Amino acid sequence: DAKTTQPNSMESNEEEPVHLPCNHSTISGTDYIHWYRQLPSQGPEYVIHGLTSNVNNRMASLAIAEDRKSSTLILHRATLRDAAVYYCILRGTQGGSEKLVFGKGTKLTVNP
Amino acid sequence: KAGVTQTPRYLIKTRGQQVTLSCSPISGHRSVSWYQQTPGQGLQFLFEYFSETQRNKGNFPGRFSGRQFSNSRSEMNVSTLELGDSALYLCASGPPLTSGYNEQFFGPGTRLTVL
């Protein structure tokens, strides 16, 4: 499984934008970039995914580098409820398997 | 639409015992995956079931097993419990495959403590 590298922790202030980086230099051409987050005392939840183009949804934006070796999850206005561990995951077409390979993730702290 | 449910939410066992955890996926979802989460190892994939068949398996000893029923509900069993099995066990379900991936929906987990 291709590996991702994320900072262990990041800190932000409420209502400010947050940019969470992820490096994935060994990404293959068919790997999708997925982001999940895990709020305290909850299971992980899907945030966003992309392949080559930048993506936006109601939760966040995903900016993907042109060479696809890195990506950035953008929370436009952080709230206290965004404090969580954020995981960047590469997913390929593994014969239909739904397996997710989690790294250590980035623990985001949001200050009031 | 009800989310993924896991029972029980908390469980305390002693070494050597066995335990069975249950997961009910979201209605219509046919794939169920199990993960173990510990402070030291993070989230690790245990196994995945689809249409009552194990489709993928992580690197865990044979003491960890699972099964899936015709209604897609799944159970995982851990026999001869060890202290190191204390963890949060998470279940995830996925909708029918429509593209190269599927969003996974996680349950709240079962917190297992082995004394």
Side-chain angles (χ1 to χ4, degrees):
Chain A
D1 297 306
K3 191 179 173 183
T4 63
T5 304
Q6 300 177 252
N8 290 333
S9 61
M10 290 186 67
E11 210 167 314
S12 173
N13 295 320
E14 203 174 6
E15 298 192 2
E16 289 185 355
V18 181
H19 291 235
L20 297 165
C22 180
N23 287 317
H24 29 78
S25 58
T26 58
I27 191 170
S28 75
T30 56
D31 283 341
Y32 284 82
I33 302 158
H34 286 243
W35 285 80
Y36 280 73
R37 72 179 186 181
Q38 187 172 21
L39 302 170
S41 303
Q42 294 188 29
E45 66 173 346
Y46 168 84
V47 177
I48 199 167
H49 81 279
L51 183 61
T52 55
S53 305
N54 294 345
V55 185
N56 301 295
N57 67 19
R58 64 174 180 82
M59 289 180 71
S61 295
L62 177 60
I64 301 172
E66 200 168 327
D67 63 5
R68 300 210 327 127
K69 293 184 185 298
S70 65
S71 61
T72 302
L73 179 70
I74 303 166
L75 306 179
H76 295 286
R77 289 183 69 216
T79 69
L80 296 178
R81 292 182 60 183
D82 290 322
V85 178
Y86 287 78
Y87 298 97
C88 170
I89 299 168
L90 300 182
R91 298 192 70 189
T93 50
Q94 305 169 59
S97 173
E98 306 292 2
K99 174 184 175 183
L100 292 172
V101 180
F102 289 87
K104 298 295 184 185
T106 297
K107 183 175 183 179
L108 175 66
T109 301
V110 180
N111 300 313
Chain B
K1 203 175 195 182
V4 177
T5 58
Q6 293 187 244
T7 56
R9 292 292 312 277
Y10 302 91
L11 203 51
I12 299 175
K13 292 285 188 179
T14 57
R15 277 183 300 172
Q17 287 186 309
Q18 75 164 15
V19 67
T20 299
L21 312 181
S22 179
C23 171
S24 292
I26 292 172
S27 177
H29 287 191
R30 293 166 63 191
S31 78
V32 173
S33 300
W34 288 89
Y35 294 82
Q36 181 196 65
Q37 186 170 29
T38 59
Q41 299 298 318
L43 273 154
Q44 293 187 285
F45 172 78
L46 277 157
F47 28 63
E48 175 197 355
Y49 288 88
F50 181 82
S51 293
E52 302 178 67
T53 301
Q54 189 179 84
R55 184 158 69 177
N56 209 339
K57 190 177 188 306
N59 188 25
F60 278 82
R63 300 185 296 107
F64 292 82
S65 62
R67 59 177 175 168
Q68 186 181 33
F69 302 96
S70 58
N71 62 357
S72 293
R73 189 177 71 85
S74 177
E75 288 181 348
M76 68 162 281
N77 183 278
V78 187
S79 63
T80 319
L81 284 166
E82 301 177 359
L83 295 179
D85 297 333
S86 294
L88 180 67
Y89 290 88
L90 291 155
C91 164
S93 75
L97 194 65
T98 56
S99 63
Y101 79 96
N102 263 328
E103 174 185 346
Q104 294 293 286
F105 295 82
F106 283 81
T110 294
R111 172 73 62 186
L112 172 65
T113 301
V114 181
L115 302 176

